[in-house]
CSV table of all heavy atoms in Angstrom, one decimal:
chain,number,residue,atom,x,y,z
A,5,THR,N,6.3,85.7,-27.7
A,5,THR,CA,7.7,85.7,-27.4
A,5,THR,C,8.0,84.5,-26.5
A,5,THR,O,7.1,83.8,-25.9
A,5,THR,CB,8.1,86.9,-26.6
A,5,THR,OG1,7.5,87.0,-25.4
A,5,THR,CG2,7.7,88.2,-27.5
A,6,LEU,N,9.3,84.2,-26.3
A,6,LEU,CA,9.7,83.1,-25.4
A,6,LEU,C,9.2,83.3,-24.0
A,6,LEU,O,8.7,82.4,-23.4
A,6,LEU,CB,11.2,82.9,-25.5
A,6,LEU,CG,11.9,82.0,-24.5
A,6,LEU,CD1,11.3,80.5,-24.7
A,6,LEU,CD2,13.4,82.0,-24.7
A,7,THR,N,9.4,84.6,-23.5
A,7,THR,CA,8.9,84.9,-22.1
A,7,THR,C,7.4,84.7,-22.0
A,7,THR,O,6.9,84.2,-21.0
A,7,THR,CB,9.4,86.3,-21.8
A,7,THR,OG1,10.8,86.4,-21.9
A,7,THR,CG2,9.0,86.7,-20.4
A,8,GLU,N,6.7,85.3,-23.0
A,8,GLU,CA,5.2,85.2,-22.9
A,8,GLU,C,4.8,83.7,-22.9
A,8,GLU,O,3.9,83.3,-22.1
A,8,GLU,CB,4.6,85.9,-24.1
A,8,GLU,CG,4.7,87.4,-24.0
A,8,GLU,CD,4.3,88.1,-25.3
A,8,GLU,OE1,4.3,87.4,-26.4
A,8,GLU,OE2,4.0,89.3,-25.3
A,9,ARG,N,5.4,82.9,-23.7
A,9,ARG,CA,5.1,81.5,-23.8
A,9,ARG,C,5.3,80.8,-22.4
A,9,ARG,O,4.4,80.1,-21.9
A,9,ARG,CB,5.9,80.8,-24.9
A,9,ARG,CG,5.3,79.5,-25.4
A,9,ARG,CD,6.2,78.9,-26.4
A,9,ARG,NE,6.3,79.7,-27.7
A,9,ARG,CZ,5.4,79.7,-28.6
A,9,ARG,NH1,4.3,78.9,-28.5
A,9,ARG,NH2,5.5,80.4,-29.7
A,10,PHE,N,6.5,81.0,-21.8
A,10,PHE,CA,6.8,80.4,-20.5
A,10,PHE,C,5.8,80.9,-19.4
A,10,PHE,O,5.3,80.1,-18.7
A,10,PHE,CB,8.2,80.7,-20.1
A,10,PHE,CG,8.5,80.3,-18.7
A,10,PHE,CD1,8.5,79.0,-18.3
A,10,PHE,CD2,8.7,81.3,-17.7
A,10,PHE,CE1,8.8,78.6,-17.0
A,10,PHE,CE2,8.9,80.9,-16.4
A,10,PHE,CZ,9.0,79.6,-16.1
A,11,LEU,N,5.6,82.2,-19.4
A,11,LEU,CA,4.7,82.7,-18.3
A,11,LEU,C,3.3,82.1,-18.5
A,11,LEU,O,2.6,81.9,-17.5
A,11,LEU,CB,4.6,84.2,-18.4
A,11,LEU,CG,5.9,85.0,-18.0
A,11,LEU,CD1,5.8,86.5,-18.2
A,11,LEU,CD2,6.2,84.7,-16.5
A,12,ASN,N,2.9,81.9,-19.7
A,12,ASN,CA,1.5,81.3,-20.0
A,12,ASN,C,1.5,79.9,-19.4
A,12,ASN,O,0.5,79.5,-18.8
A,12,ASN,CB,1.3,81.4,-21.5
A,12,ASN,CG,-0.2,81.1,-21.8
A,12,ASN,OD1,-1.1,81.6,-21.1
A,12,ASN,ND2,-0.5,80.4,-22.8
A,13,TYR,N,2.6,79.2,-19.6
A,13,TYR,CA,2.6,77.8,-19.1
A,13,TYR,C,2.5,77.7,-17.6
A,13,TYR,O,2.0,76.7,-17.0
A,13,TYR,CB,3.9,77.1,-19.5
A,13,TYR,CG,4.0,76.9,-21.0
A,13,TYR,CD1,5.2,76.6,-21.6
A,13,TYR,CD2,2.9,77.0,-21.9
A,13,TYR,CE1,5.4,76.4,-23.0
A,13,TYR,CE2,3.0,76.9,-23.3
A,13,TYR,CZ,4.3,76.5,-23.8
A,13,TYR,OH,4.4,76.4,-25.2
A,14,THR,N,3.1,78.7,-16.9
A,14,THR,CA,3.1,78.7,-15.4
A,14,THR,C,1.7,78.8,-14.8
A,14,THR,O,1.5,78.6,-13.6
A,14,THR,CB,4.0,79.8,-14.8
A,14,THR,OG1,3.4,81.1,-15.1
A,14,THR,CG2,5.4,79.7,-15.3
A,15,LYS,N,0.7,79.2,-15.6
A,15,LYS,CA,-0.7,79.3,-15.2
A,15,LYS,C,-1.3,77.9,-14.9
A,15,LYS,O,-2.3,77.8,-14.2
A,15,LYS,CB,-1.6,80.0,-16.2
A,15,LYS,CG,-1.2,81.4,-16.5
A,15,LYS,CD,-2.0,82.0,-17.6
A,15,LYS,CE,-1.5,83.4,-18.0
A,15,LYS,NZ,-2.3,84.0,-19.2
A,16,PHE,N,-0.7,76.9,-15.4
A,16,PHE,CA,-1.2,75.5,-15.2
A,16,PHE,C,-0.5,74.8,-14.1
A,16,PHE,O,0.7,74.7,-14.0
A,16,PHE,CB,-1.0,74.7,-16.5
A,16,PHE,CG,-1.8,75.2,-17.7
A,16,PHE,CD1,-1.3,76.2,-18.5
A,16,PHE,CD2,-3.1,74.7,-18.0
A,16,PHE,CE1,-2.0,76.7,-19.6
A,16,PHE,CE2,-3.8,75.1,-19.1
A,16,PHE,CZ,-3.3,76.1,-19.9
A,17,ASP,N,-1.4,74.2,-13.2
A,17,ASP,CA,-0.9,73.4,-12.1
A,17,ASP,C,-0.7,72.0,-12.6
A,17,ASP,O,-1.7,71.3,-13.0
A,17,ASP,CB,-1.8,73.4,-10.9
A,17,ASP,CG,-1.3,72.6,-9.8
A,17,ASP,OD1,-0.2,72.1,-9.8
A,17,ASP,OD2,-2.2,72.3,-8.8
A,18,THR,N,0.6,71.5,-12.7
A,18,THR,CA,0.8,70.2,-13.3
A,18,THR,C,1.6,69.3,-12.3
A,18,THR,O,2.4,68.5,-12.7
A,18,THR,CB,1.6,70.4,-14.6
A,18,THR,OG1,2.8,71.1,-14.4
A,18,THR,CG2,0.8,71.1,-15.7
A,19,GLN,N,1.5,69.6,-11.0
A,19,GLN,CA,2.2,68.8,-10.0
A,19,GLN,C,1.9,67.3,-10.2
A,19,GLN,O,0.7,66.9,-10.3
A,19,GLN,CB,1.8,69.3,-8.7
A,19,GLN,CG,2.6,68.7,-7.6
A,19,GLN,CD,2.2,69.3,-6.2
A,19,GLN,OE1,1.0,69.4,-5.9
A,19,GLN,NE2,3.2,69.8,-5.4
Side-chain angles (χ1 to χ4, degrees):
T5 66
L6 175 58
T7 301
E8 289 169 341
R9 200 179 296 277
F10 170 68
L11 291 175
N12 195 38
Y13 295 164
T14 66
K15 297 175 185 176
F16 294 85
D17 179 9
T18 57
Q19 189 179 47

